[in-house]
Amino acid sequence: MLKRIAPLCVFGLMKRFLLLMALIFGFASLATGIYDLAGPAARSGLLHTGGEVWFALSADTLNLMQAVTQRYLWPALWDPGIVSVLKFPAVATLGGLTALFASLWSLAARR
């Protein structure tokens, strides 16, 4: 009996995790959209990029993430990998992550 219940508990936690991530990225996308509309003008054009938003919120953690990624993981992962994602508009990046987690949650909820 316990063997049947354990996978269901883990699956329930997975569904909750996917929903939580979708909500977090959804609110973050909404916040960056409001920042684009009401905040200062973007340097890169109409919308703020992910790198601009991250730098405005915490420049130290951006530099730390770059150093850790290049030194301990793989230098090519940072440039061109993460740098190209940071150059996208923040609303599009966070909205895409919201859509990804919401669709995964929807698939898990059907099961």
Side-chain angles (χ1 to χ4, degrees):
M1 182 75 165
L2 185 60
K3 290 182 181 181
R4 284 192 218 166
I5 296 173
L8 294 176
C9 292
V10 172
F11 191 68
L13 289 174
M14 173 88 61
K15 287 194 295 188
R16 287 185 179 140
F17 173 75
L18 291 172
L19 179 61
L20 178 68
M21 294 304 291
L23 289 173
I24 288 171
F25 283 117
F27 286 130
S29 179
L30 182 66
T32 55
I34 292 170
Y35 182 70
D36 280 335
L37 292 175
R43 291 185 184 142
S44 62
L46 182 63
L47 300 173
H48 289 88
T49 63
E52 286 180 28
V53 173
W54 192 354
F55 187 81
L57 292 175
S58 179
D60 294 337
T61 59
L62 178 62
N63 291 331
L64 177 67
M65 184 61 76
Q66 178 186 6
V68 167
T69 304
Q70 288 180 333
R71 186 172 300 142
Y72 297 114
L73 294 175
W74 186 34
L77 178 63
W78 182 263
D79 190 18
I82 296 173
V83 170
S84 62
V85 173
L86 289 175
K87 288 182 181 179
F88 289 140
V91 173
T93 305
L94 294 171
L97 288 171
T98 302
L100 173 72
F101 281 110
S103 63
L104 289 174
W105 173 77
S106 174
L107 288 174
R110 285 189 211 164
R111 190 169 184 215

